[in-house]
Amino acid sequence: MNLKGTTKKGLACAGLGLLVNLLLCMDVLVLCLEMVFYKDAAANGMTVWQYCLHFILVCTLWGLGSFAVYKLSKGKKLLPGTEHARKRFGISGISILFLLVAAGILFMSFDAEEMRLHLKPLSELRYFLRTYGRAGISVFLLQHLYYLLESALILFIIVFGQEAGESLFPVKRTSLIPWGGIFCALTWGMLHGLTKDWETALFSLILSAFFVLCYFAANRRMFPAYLAIALIFLL
């Protein structure tokens, strides 16, 4: 085993994972700039078109950033190898992935205060229609594009975190350790504690566990793992 090579790969993956977290922070940066330009937004909230512009700006940054990270990581051969693609993704794997997605959706839908389930898309659509009328549909659609891009960035964090952990700590059965979930929890999860509140941070830590389990259940195939993460976010 080339320890120097694996250490270099591990550090590169960890660096890319942190870079992806900085991309996610662009959402907060854009919002802070908007509060400066929209002087009444802090007191009265943003208008429907200000919300739309916010999502368009953030989605553009995330989309371009995701493409750049993918091209860079693929060029440097930092993504999972083809050996995972050659492994059979059978009925058992699909079933486990389906159960994880179902459990994740239930977790996202559960309202602890009212002790009942709320289907997230319907709740959000009702809120936007009630607040902005028909124009709220535009905000609703752009928000779901936002979720799709956030899902891609979170998958990158999981993938790079897993590759970094396995490369930097090449111990026995290291591939069974959910390095990606740990990395996601310590970065994306903890950022929620700094930018929002610790209840949201705990919520994000639990989601990190769901996401890395989905990645494992998908046999480290990025497309089915992405679909699973996106469905948990959207539904």
Side-chain angles (χ1 to χ4, degrees):
M1 180 183 291
N2 185 352
L3 290 177
K4 185 176 179 181
T6 56
T7 300
K8 185 177 179 181
K9 177 184 177 182
L11 292 173
C13 287
L16 276 176
L18 293 174
L19 178 62
V20 174
N21 275 281
L22 286 178
L23 272 174
L24 285 168
C25 289
M26 290 298 102
D27 185 19
V28 178
L29 177 61
V30 169
L31 185 61
C32 290
L33 291 174
E34 287 168 341
M35 291 300 105
V36 174
F37 285 106
Y38 308 145
K39 299 190 183 298
D40 296 332
N44 304 322
M46 292 195 291
T47 67
V48 62
W49 303 116
Q50 288 170 346
Y51 257 122
C52 287
L53 181 59
H54 172 80
F55 285 129
I56 289 170
L57 287 172
V58 174
C59 288
T60 300
L61 289 171
W62 283 359
L64 293 173
S66 297
F67 180 75
V69 167
Y70 175 76
K71 294 294 287 184
L72 178 62
S73 56
K74 188 176 182 182
K76 297 290 185 181
K77 297 182 179 180
L78 299 177
L79 294 175
T82 55
E83 66 273 10
H84 298 296
R86 287 197 295 265
K87 291 180 181 178
R88 189 168 178 268
F89 186 37
I91 297 297
S92 60
I94 294 172
S95 301
I96 294 171
L97 191 59
F98 177 82
L99 290 173
L100 285 169
V101 170
I105 292 171
L106 287 173
F107 174 71
M108 292 284 282
S109 303
F110 183 68
D111 188 329
E113 292 183 1
E114 298 184 12
M115 296 300 292
R116 63 174 182 149
L117 297 176
H118 288 283
L119 196 57
K120 184 180 172 186
L122 293 179
S123 299
E124 291 178 344
L125 181 59
R126 279 196 297 266
Y127 169 77
F128 287 129
L129 288 174
R130 185 172 63 249
T131 307
Y132 302 115
R134 289 185 179 180
I137 296 174
S138 301
V139 187
F140 174 79
L141 293 175
L142 285 169
Q143 186 179 52
H144 281 69
L145 174 60
Y146 171 101
Y147 288 150
L148 288 172
L149 289 166
E150 186 176 14
S151 300
L153 291 173
I154 288 173
L155 176 60
F156 277 130
I157 293 172
I158 294 289
V159 171
F160 292 138
Q162 190 64 36
E163 293 294 310
E166 292 179 11
S167 299
L168 293 172
F169 305 101
V171 295
K172 188 177 181 181
R173 298 186 183 278
T174 188
S175 61
L176 300 178
I177 300 173
W179 298 111
I182 295 169
F183 187 76
C184 188
L186 292 175
T187 54
W188 177 73
M190 297 307 290
L191 280 172
H192 282 78
L194 297 174
T195 59
K196 295 183 180 178
D197 53 60
W198 289 106
E199 183 179 336
T200 307
L202 179 60
F203 187 81
S204 302
L205 295 179
I206 297 171
L207 280 179
S208 298
F210 271 112
F211 295 153
V212 74
L213 290 175
C214 286
Y215 180 57
F216 283 166
N219 203 15
R220 306 192 187 207
R221 296 171 184 243
M222 292 189 69
F223 185 66
Y226 170 73
L227 287 180
I229 292 171
L231 283 172
I232 291 173
F233 257 118
L234 292 172
L235 302 180

